[in-house]
Amino acid sequence: MKLDEIKERAKQLNIKTGKMKKAELVRTIQQAEGNEQCFDSGKAVTCGQDNCLWREDCD
């Protein structure tokens, strides 16, 4: 997902993006949605969240 798309999702959740980097922004969105803040944490293989919106970009 492109950064502009991520910022739009953040805006929908009333998150001020400021100068957040992509990983920080995605984790903030995950938190706002009530999900584990696991994006780019190295858990992609074992997280079990196959339908996660961020799955394609996660490491």
Side-chain angles (χ1 to χ4, degrees):
M1 184 176 287
K2 295 183 188 231
L3 189 56
D4 289 339
E5 294 170 309
I6 296 169
K7 286 183 178 183
E8 182 58 35
R9 178 68 183 136
K11 184 178 177 183
Q12 293 170 358
L13 295 167
N14 296 317
I15 297 170
K16 296 184 185 213
T17 59
K19 295 185 179 188
M20 282 190 216
K21 293 185 178 185
K22 181 178 181 176
E24 181 182 6
L25 184 54
V26 170
R27 286 191 293 270
T28 302
I29 292 170
Q30 287 177 316
Q31 180 182 25
E33 294 176 332
N35 297 312
E36 182 180 351
Q37 298 175 54
C38 57
F39 180 77
D40 202 26
S41 65
K43 297 180 182 179
V45 175
T46 60
C47 75
Q49 301 297 319
D50 295 332
N51 295 322
C52 177
L53 181 61
W54 318 106
R55 185 70 174 181
E56 284 185 25
D57 296 329
C58 195
D59 291 327

